[in-house]
Amino acid sequence: MPVTALSDAELLEAARDGDEAAFTELYVRHHDAAHRLASTYRRGSDADDLVNGAFERVLGALRRGGGPRE
């Protein structure tokens, strides 16, 4: 089954188990929405930096067995 056929919850679980392709798929799916949101903040940070930092923190949490479930 291709990764893109999986739900976000399934991709999160796969990413938590170390599947880098699953996390990449989540990044691709949600990057644009995260960037739109980050663009609304004007605290001196670049929207790309905010988005990448957020995804890095989520990936770190997933690697530790935590993070979002859905």
Side-chain angles (χ1 to χ4, degrees), residues 44-68:
S45 294
D46 180 71
D48 290 326
D49 290 341
L50 290 172
V51 171
N52 290 333
F55 275 101
E56 286 173 10
R57 286 188 294 280
V58 169
L59 179 58
L62 291 171
R63 287 181 173 163
R64 291 186 302 277

Side-chain angles (χ1 to χ4, degrees), residues 18-44:
D19 185 340
E20 295 291 329
F23 188 78
T24 299
E25 176 63 23
L26 286 165
Y27 181 88
V28 169
R29 282 186 188 182
H30 298 287
H31 176 270
D32 289 345
H35 194 273
R36 280 191 304 276
L37 177 63
S39 295
T40 67
Y41 294 101
R42 301 283 185 232
R43 294 188 183 183

